[in-house]
Amino acid sequence: EVQLVESGGGLVQPGGSLRLSCAASGFTFRNYDMHWVRHITGIGLEWVSSIDTSGDSFYSGSVKGRFTISRENAKNSLYLQMNNLRAGDTAIYYCARDSGIYLGRASDIWGQGTMVNVSS
Amino acid sequence: DIQMTQSPSSLSASVGDSVTITCRASQTISDYLNWYQQTPGKAPKLLIYAASSLQSGVPSRFSGSGSGTDFTLTISSLQPEDFATYSCQQTYNTPRTFGQGTKVEIK
């Protein structure tokens, strides 16, 4: 079964750090670009970051310089290091698989999400 | 950044109704437009990719159309499980922006 499972969320104070993980199974992880997307209550879905198969990374303006995406193909794992967290980063964070250019570069597989709550 | 504007932000409909949601991009995105469905407490689910292609396993009552800047998602004959929030996303370039979502509620 194709599956993504996130972990690492929790409650953190403003200015703190968290590292999210996403474990992939059921497909050849190294062949796919991957994304982090968050759902902010009252706002909706927001793309956060992507990493392609070559390891090149991309970020939204709101997290650039604070978040770092990485992948470890040998462990079929995706990561998001989040530093200097703000209240506005409070959200459910999802990892998602990119379907590829021939299928619209859509996010076709999603994890169940992990909650990040930034509060004092 | 490309801005994605959905309308309406919410709508009320009955089981069996047909509904249409629109998504407009602030610049041309060809057909790099995808639609997702999300229910409370669950992950988003891909419905339509490349503007009009139905994702495997998605019922045929869902359809998408459009190209360039204007796109639509149509649900023919709403079913109880279709009451959810629908979001469009452009994947033409980075950042891969989403629309603000359209909540489909039971009338």
Side-chain angles (χ1 to χ4, degrees), chain A residues 27-34 51 53 71 97-99:
Chain A
F27 64 99
T28 307
F29 178 74
R30 65 178 179 272
N31 290 347
Y32 289 85
D33 296 352
M34 297 293 296
I51 187 167
T53 55
R71 63 191 302 161
R97 187 183 80 170
D98 192 291
S99 61

Side-chain angles (χ1 to χ4, degrees), chain A residues 56-78:
Chain A
D56 291 334
S57 56
F58 307 87
Y59 300 93
S60 71
S62 60
V63 308
K64 194 169 187 178
R66 301 187 298 124
F67 291 12
T68 302
I69 191 172
S70 61
R71 63 191 302 161
E72 192 168 356
N73 291 336
K75 293 187 175 182
N76 294 324
S77 292
L78 177 72

Side-chain angles (χ1 to χ4, degrees), chain A residues 7-120:
Chain A
S7 60
L11 175 64
V12 61
Q13 292 188 338
S17 298
L18 277 178
R19 188 193 195 208
L20 305 184
S21 299
C22 172
S25 59
F27 64 99
T28 307
F29 178 74
R30 65 178 179 272
N31 290 347
Y32 289 85
D33 296 352
M34 297 293 296
H35 308 283
W36 287 100
V37 176
R38 62 188 181 186
H39 183 268
I40 301 175
T41 300
I43 293 180
L45 295 168
E46 180 184 34
W47 173 83
V48 174
S49 181
S50 297
I51 187 167
D52 65 18
T53 55
S54 301
D56 291 334
S57 56
F58 307 87
Y59 300 93
S60 71
S62 60
V63 308
K64 194 169 187 178
R66 301 187 298 124
F67 291 12
T68 302
I69 191 172
S70 61
R71 63 191 302 161
E72 192 168 356
N73 291 336
K75 293 187 175 182
N76 294 324
S77 292
L78 177 72
Y79 306 101
L80 187 68
Q81 177 67 43
M82 304 187 296
N83 297 331
N84 191 19
L85 282 160
R86 306 166 179 167
D89 297 317
T90 294
I92 300 174
Y93 284 74
Y94 297 97
C95 65
R97 187 183 80 170
D98 192 291
S99 61
I101 192 167
Y102 299 111
L103 297 174
R105 301 192 287 214
S107 292
D108 62 347
I109 303 295
W110 296 69
Q112 85 287 352
T114 187
M115 181 70 204
V116 172
N117 189 354
V118 184
S119 174
S120 55

